[in-house]
Amino acid sequence: MLEVVIIGSGFGGIISAIRLLKAGIDDFVLLERDEQMGGTWWRNSYPGAAVDVPSILYSISGEPHDWTRAFALQEEILDYTNKVIDKYELRSRTRLKAEVVSMNYQDASASWVIKTSDGQSYESRNVINASGGLSQAKIPAFEGLDSFRGKTMHTSQWDHSFDYENKRVAVIGTGASAVQVIPSIVEKVKKLEVFQRTPHWILKRPDRIFSSWERKLRKKKWINTFLRNAMYLFMEWRILGFRYFPAFLDIVPTLEAKAHIRKSLDTKELQGLMTPEYRPGCKRILMSNEYYQVFNEAKVVLRDKSQPIACFYENGIALQNGQEIPLDLVIFATGFHAAENNIPYPIIGKEGRSIEEEWKSAAHAFWGTMVPGFPNLFLISGPNTGIGHTSALVMIEAQLDYVIRMIKHKKANEKTSIEVRRGAEEAFNEKIQKALKGTVWQSGGCKSWYQRADGKNTTLYPDFTIGFIRNCRNARFEDHIFS
C-alpha cells in the first residue's frame, strides 16, 4: 500500500511531491492522464499562451528561475516546470497516460483504491487530488456541431498538426485564452470571425524582456527574494478593491481600460461593442497590448450578442438572422467547468456516499481542501481557492502546508484516518459565502464562470491570502477527527 497517490502533474502535483519529499515521505506516485508531465502548461500550448501574473510570483517559493521576461510565455513556463521535475527526479515516480476513472474509500483499511484508464489499480492511505480547477474543457452543445465538416478544437486541446494559414477561422469566446490566441493567428488566417457574448475589461499588459544585467541581478538569492516579496505585497493589496471597496474599481481600472479602448479601436461602433456594462473585476480582468487592434483589420469581423449562433451546418455556422458563415476552422475559447463539480470521475467516500451527492447543492471544502465524509482525501485548488488578485501558486503552497501538517500529525499519533468535522467545514463555508456577498464578483453586475447557474460562487477566495496562509499553516487539529 502506498502512503500517497497524487493525481495530476501540473504545479499542484509538483508542489505536492516536493513537499512530501521534504517531509520525509517518499512512498508516493503521481498519476498523469496525458502523455507528458506539466499539467496546464503542457496542455495549453495554443499560439500566444502566456501567464497573466508576473513571472517572479508565478513560480514555486524556494525554486527561483532565470525568467527572460516580466510575463512568461507558455514555452518558458513549461521549461521551468520540467527543470523542477528533473531536479526532484519526479519522472520515475509518475505514471503517464494513467487517467483516473474511479476512487473508492475502504472503510475497513482507511485507504483509497484508485483505478486508472490503463487498467491499473492503486491502494493508498492518502490521496492528493491536484488535477486542477481549470482542467475540464467546456464546449457549448451547439445544434448541428457534429455535422460540421471543418476542423474544431478547444484552446486547451490545440492541434499543432492543423495548418490554419489562409483558412477561414472562427473563434467562439472572448475570454483569457481568446485575447491571447486571436492576435497570434490573425496575420496567417484568410478571414477571422470572433463571436463575443459579453466584452471583458482589458488593461495594457506591462510585459517586457529583461536585460542581461537585470537577469544577472535577479540570480542573486536575496534580490530575487526581495523582488518576489515586493511583488506579492503589491498584488495582495488589490483585494481591497475586489472585496472591501468595489466602488474604487470604477475609477482607476475603469479609466485606464476605457483609454485603452479609445486609443486602440478605430471606430466608435467598435469602441461601444467592446465596452463592458459591468464593473471591472466582476469578470476576470484581462491584459493585452494587441487584442483590440486586431478588429481594425478588414478581414476580422466581430459578432456580438445581437448576432447569436443558431447552429452549425456542414460548411460552417448559421446565425439566428439566417446568415450562413462558411468556415474551415472553429476554435472554442469557451473556458472550463470551474464552478461546477469539475472532478470528472466518481469518488465514493465513507458509507458509499459519492462526492457528487455531497456536492449536489454546491461544491464545498474546508479551506478548499477537505470534504466531510471523505477521509484522507485532499483537494488542491478545490472549492473557493481560486484567486482574483494574485498568483494561484500562493494558494496551492498554503494548501500544502495544511495537507502536510495533517498527514504528519496522523502518522505521529499512529492514526489511520483523518476527516474534517462537518460542523467546522459548514461554519467555514458559511463564512466564505457571507464574505463573498459584497464583493465585485457577486455585486458587479455580471454573470461569470466564477458562479454556478444559481449565482453561487464556489470558485473564489474572497480575502487576503495572508490570512489563508496563516490559517493553513496553523490548521486546528480539533476541527478534524483522527481515528
Side-chain angles (χ1 to χ4, degrees):
M1 185 187 298
L2 294 163
E3 186 64 34
V4 183
V5 163
I6 301 169
I7 300 173
S9 69
F11 271 120
I14 293 167
I15 297 171
S16 297
I18 293 171
R19 290 297 186 87
L20 287 172
L21 289 171
K22 290 183 175 180
I25 302 170
D26 61 1
D27 184 18
F28 65 86
V29 297
L30 296 93
L31 303 179
E32 171 55 55
R33 66 178 178 176
D34 290 317
E35 56 262 38
Q36 294 291 335
M37 298 179 71
T40 292
W41 295 106
W42 180 84
R43 180 167 280 266
N44 285 268
S45 60
Y46 58 84
V51 70
D52 58 2
V53 173
S55 304
I56 197 167
L57 201 57
Y58 200 77
S59 53
I60 304 167
S61 61
E63 302 297 335
H65 182 65
D66 178 21
W67 297 107
T68 63
R69 61 193 309 147
F71 290 81
L73 302 181
Q74 178 263 344
E75 296 92 337
E76 188 170 11
I77 301 170
L78 186 59
D79 177 61
Y80 168 65
T81 59
N82 280 323
K83 286 180 179 178
V84 176
I85 287 167
D86 291 335
K87 176 181 175 179
Y88 290 93
E89 300 179 343
L90 300 182
R91 296 190 196 281
S92 62
R93 298 176 179 274
T94 304
R95 308 293 179 264
L96 299 174
K97 297 183 180 179
E99 184 171 9
V100 174
V101 295
S102 69
M103 279 178 52
N104 286 269
Y105 185 72
Q106 311 299 303
D107 292 273
S109 58
S111 64
W112 287 92
V113 172
I114 305 100
K115 294 185 178 181
T116 55
S117 56
D118 58 359
Q120 297 298 310
S121 180
Y122 303 84
E123 186 172 5
S124 179
R125 297 182 181 89
N126 304 281
V127 174
I128 299 176
N129 185 330
S131 55
L134 300 178
S135 60
Q136 304 303 316
K138 188 174 187 177
I139 298 178
F142 288 109
E143 181 183 344
L145 180 57
D146 291 341
S147 67
F148 177 54
R149 292 181 179 178
K151 175 73 173 179
T152 64
M153 64 176 88
H154 190 275
T155 51
S156 68
Q157 300 160 348
W158 195 268
D159 184 354
H160 291 274
S161 67
F162 183 83
D163 183 9
Y164 55 83
E165 187 169 2
N166 204 34
K167 297 291 196 302
R168 299 163 299 178
V169 180
V171 176
I172 299 177
T174 53
S177 59
V179 302
Q180 294 180 347
V181 74
I182 286 172
S184 300
I185 67 172
V186 66
E187 294 305 318
K188 289 187 176 182
V189 304
K190 180 179 181 180
K191 185 81 173 178
L192 183 60
E193 304 271 349
V194 178
F195 289 87
Q196 170 188 276
R197 185 172 58 183
T198 309
H200 281 70
W201 289 106
I202 303 176
L203 300 177
K204 287 185 176 180
R205 185 182 184 86
D207 191 20
R208 63 187 181 85
I209 296 175
F210 294 137
S211 64
S212 58
W213 68 266
E214 282 182 288
R215 291 174 64 182
K216 187 175 181 180
L217 284 175
R218 287 168 177 265
K219 288 180 182 179
K220 294 182 182 295
K221 185 177 180 180
W222 72 270
I223 292 178
N224 187 276
T225 300
F226 172 79
L227 291 174
R228 180 184 170 90
N229 290 340
M231 182 59 70
Y232 169 72
L233 292 173
F234 173 76
M235 301 285 284
E236 185 74 345
W237 74 269
R238 301 195 307 167
I239 190 64
L240 292 173
F242 291 126
R243 177 182 174 182
Y244 295 97
F245 308 105
F248 174 78
L249 299 169
D250 294 331
I251 306 172
V252 178
T254 300
L255 294 176
E256 184 181 340
K258 285 185 174 180
H260 189 29
I261 290 171
R262 289 194 303 271
K263 292 177 181 178
S264 303
L265 293 166
D266 290 345
T267 69
K268 292 289 185 182
E269 181 183 9
L270 279 173
Q271 291 172 15
L273 291 174
M274 292 195 164
T275 300
E277 298 177 350
Y278 54 86
R279 178 171 279 169
C282 185
K283 287 179 179 286
R284 184 177 177 181
I285 297 176
L286 308 179
M287 293 190 296
S288 176
N289 299 328
E290 304 90 16
Y291 177 70
Y292 285 140
Q293 293 87 335
V294 165
F295 294 89
N296 296 323
E297 298 190 32
K299 66 177 176 179
V300 180
V301 179
L302 177 66
R303 307 282 182 181
D304 73 334
K305 62 183 178 182
S306 67
Q307 303 177 71
I309 295 172
C311 65
F312 278 69
Y313 70 103
E314 62 180 13
N315 295 320
I317 289 175
L319 305 183
Q320 289 186 12
N321 62 12
Q323 181 180 354
E324 293 186 345
I325 303 171
L327 296 164
D328 303 301
L329 168 65
V330 176
I331 300 168
F332 290 101
T334 45
F336 302 87
H337 294 280
E340 309 93 337
N341 174 7
N342 58 14
I343 300 176
Y345 46 84
I347 299 179
I348 309 299
K350 285 175 59 178
E351 300 172 356
R353 183 175 175 83
S354 70
I355 203 162
E356 186 177 13
E357 184 180 359
E358 177 67 30
W359 284 354
K360 188 175 182 179
S361 60
H364 56 85
F366 190 61
W367 296 109
T369 309
M370 294 203 78
V371 182
F374 295 81
N376 303 341
L377 172 61
F378 305 93
L379 308 178
I380 303 303
S381 299
N384 292 111
T385 58
I387 203 72
H389 67 279
T390 189
S391 171
L393 271 61
V394 171
M395 301 294 281
I396 291 173
E397 294 203 55
Q399 285 188 275
L400 265 300
D401 287 337
Y402 170 37
V403 173
I404 299 301
R405 177 175 169 81
M406 293 298 124
I407 292 177
K408 288 175 71 174
H409 186 77
K410 182 179 69 168
K411 287 171 65 71
N413 289 273
E414 299 181 345
K415 302 296 184 179
T416 60
S417 171
I418 173 177
E419 179 184 355
V420 65
R421 295 183 185 275
R422 186 169 292 277
E425 195 264 357
E426 289 178 348
F428 168 79
N429 281 286
E430 183 179 343
K431 183 178 178 181
I432 289 291
Q433 291 303 318
K434 183 177 180 181
L436 277 162
K437 285 183 179 179
T439 65
V440 68
W441 306 306
Q442 296 299 100
S443 62
C446 76
K447 182 72 176 174
S448 74
W449 61 263
Y450 300 143
Q451 302 164 309
R452 288 163 40 92
D454 61 8
K456 189 172 185 177
N457 190 320
T458 60
T459 305
L460 295 176
Y461 181 73
D463 213 337
F464 291 100
T465 61
I466 292 173
F468 188 89
I469 293 168
R470 183 180 64 250
N471 281 289
C472 284
R473 286 178 179 172
N474 302 291
R476 289 158 36 100
F477 297 126
E478 52 266 41
D479 287 334
H480 304 77
I481 302 168
F482 293 85
S483 58

